[in-house]
Amino acid sequence: MNVWRRLSGPRRALALAGAGVLVAGGLVTIPVTAAQAATQCDIAYSANEWPGGFTASITIKNVGDPINGWTLGWTFPNSGQRVQQGWSAEFTQSGSQVTARSLSYNGTLATGASTSIGFNGAWSGSNPKPTSFTLNGVTCNGGTTPPTTPPPTGSKVDNPYAGVRGYVNPEWKTKADAEPGGSRISNNPTAVWLDRIAAINGTPDSSSNGAFGVRDHLEEALRQGAGYIQFVIYNLPGRDCAALASNGELGPNDLPRYKAEYIDPIAAIQADPKYRNIRIINIIEIDSLPNLVTNTSGQAGGTAMCDTVKANGAYVNGVGYALAKLGTLGNVYNYIDAAHHGWIGWDTNFGPTADLLKTAAVASGSTVANVHGFIVNTANYSALREPYVKITDTVNGTSVRQSKWIDWNFYVDELSFAQAFRQKLVQVGFDANIGMLIDTSRNGWGGTARPTGPGATTSVDTYVNGGRIDRRIHAGNWCNQSGAGLGERPRSAPEPGIDAYVWVKPPGESDGSSELIPNDEGKGFDRMCDPTYTGNARNGNSATGALPNAPISGAWFSAQFQELMRNAYPAL
Ligand code: BGC
């Protein structure tokens, strides 16, 4: 029992990532079919109004033959209703009649395809919705009955990833496309990391941050017709308290700045009704709360910074504030980071982490209703499944839990862990409908080193080490892991309880520099990223398995990107 306690407490592996998706709830779509015409259309019109003004969003769905160039028309019921400034179409108004023409990039609509446009308008008297629309002169009969106020929180969709296309970050795509073979994966949605205050408005393209700010990404998402976009909220005071590679700009006592200069401006942009038809998914604060469970005083991984931010409430209150501000928006979905099985898969960590997540979810005026779900394995490398090692397996009467690799953990892969942790979270008071996300960006472990069957039954160690998909030296290793491959491509509802496999850590972005590199981002040098380091108590004093010549966290790491593609599983 002592051995179990000693070994189980400090296990962890850092991971970083984020994602986000939104849906403007309350959109009413009325299918309409034009008689005896090849043109058939569904129009969804929604408006958000205030005295004298409104913003309208219109989604045009082509349910007829393919269209090449479209003109949408409608008549405002009231003579005081005017289009003032529109987007994603060319608008003209004559009297009460409005015409919106497609632009060069959104005129082609295959059967079943949709595109969204919108405008800011003015009204006097009243602002009723148009009752009928035409597309290329053909009536989309039936009209619409749109809501005029944002939907209440309760009306969020259950799974914001379902049935819609994800936003492709053009800044990541450009880097991926510049790599030989990169275009094979560059159309996948990856998360946008808001890893410093300056990222909100965008910065001149530096080594690890983009020129696009939050609004630029949302505008681009509208242009892409994306159904969801993923942001990582990642800037807590005293960030990354147990490691150095992703330390941030805010000191441990900077909670007021976190609220006023970081969360509030992000919430203000996400609340813009222009974006209400996009499901905005926020991945909340990677690695933060689990560090308070496993890496404070008296534990093998304990640090003074983790003690400080636990004692002053910076993490709990910061996460609570972010949830409260962002979660009340009708089209915003919060998923809190919940580490991974190689960190909290021991009983000593499992329950206490769930309890702490609950504490944060009701801090700073938040309620559990602001939490749509949780993400595991963010920026980590744990395999999704271990087909040749089950946690219940025994070798010559000895449980595989006694192997050096598993080390008494109760889980051996992320899928079983995510599903079990989901149940635990419901048990401690989260909504029964919460969904889990699994970051599969780098947990593929394909290539020639991938086992094709169980290991030899000489001992639990030969059995586990020979058969495990995860080829790391130690499950606590987390930085730029050598031999890793891309995992499952992003997709929704892959397994019960799982809302999506996501790519939160953008493949090709470093976890940390392999030697000290001065920078102005607050990033430190963590020896877990140094391939010559022989480890510490947290990784069983093992070699780090990190790739050499790595740039600072977030910066493009071409050699790693190439290896991830080579070792992809499923293969590219
Ligand atoms: C870094 C961030 C970066 C993110 C995604 C983190 O490790 O600290 O700056 O945006 O990874 O690559």
Side-chain angles (χ1 to χ4, degrees), residues 193-219:
W193 286 65
L194 304 176
D195 64 346
R196 72 205 78 169
I197 291 165
I200 299 170
N201 291 321
T203 55
D205 204 351
S206 65
S207 64
S208 59
N209 203 25
F212 271 33
V214 176
R215 197 173 277 285
D216 301 309
H217 284 292
L218 286 164
E219 288 293 321

Side-chain angles (χ1 to χ4, degrees), residues 35 77 82 100 123 134 172 199 215 331 343 346 377 430 531 557 565:
R82 312 287 310 169
W123 61 275
T134 57
W172 175 76
R215 197 173 277 285
N331 57 327
W343 188 344
W346 290 269
N377 204 43
F430 285 100
F557 189 8
M565 288 197 295

Side-chain angles (χ1 to χ4, degrees), residues 16 193 195-196 234 239 246 505-506 509-510 523 553-554:
L16 310 163
W193 286 65
D195 64 346
R196 72 205 78 169
Y234 188 55
R239 188 176 75 190
S246 283
K505 177 75 183 182
E509 295 187 7
S510 173
K523 307 260 170 78
S553 61

Side-chain angles (χ1 to χ4, degrees), residues 264-396:
D264 289 356
I266 293 173
I269 300 170
Q270 293 190 351
D272 189 327
K274 242 181 122 170
Y275 310 125
R276 65 194 298 270
N277 288 343
I278 305 172
R279 302 170 185 177
I280 300 173
I281 292 163
N282 291 316
I283 304 293
I284 308 288
E285 296 296 355
I286 312 309
D287 290 350
S288 57
L289 299 166
N291 264 326
L292 304 190
V293 176
T294 61
N295 291 316
T296 54
S297 290
Q299 298 172 308
T303 68
M305 183 59 100
C306 290
D307 282 348
T308 303
V309 292
K310 184 176 182 182
N312 73 6
Y315 282 13
V316 163
N317 292 318
V319 168
Y321 188 81
L323 293 171
K325 276 298 261 202
L326 303 167
T328 48
L329 305 173
N331 57 327
V332 175
Y333 297 79
N334 291 326
Y335 289 83
I336 313 180
D337 187 70
H340 55 87
H341 89 274
W343 188 344
I344 60 167
W346 290 269
D347 273 3
T348 38
N349 305 340
F350 195 78
T353 302
D355 290 338
L356 186 63
L357 289 166
K358 169 76 189 306
T359 302
V362 298
S364 305
S366 179
T367 70
V368 291
N370 294 316
V371 180
H372 211 72
F374 295 83
I375 180 166
V376 301
N377 204 43
T378 308
N380 206 271
Y381 296 84
S382 298
L384 189 61
R385 289 192 174 86
E386 286 290 358
Y388 311 124
V389 182
K390 296 278 160 255
I391 200 70
T392 47
D393 287 350
T394 57
V395 177
N396 308 325

Side-chain angles (χ1 to χ4, degrees), residues 497-521:
I498 312 297
D499 278 356
Y501 295 149
V502 292
W503 282 9
V504 165
K505 177 75 183 182
E509 295 187 7
S510 173
D511 296 316
S513 56
S514 42
E515 55 189 48
L516 180 62
I517 300 179
N519 63 85
D520 61 4
E521 300 178 18

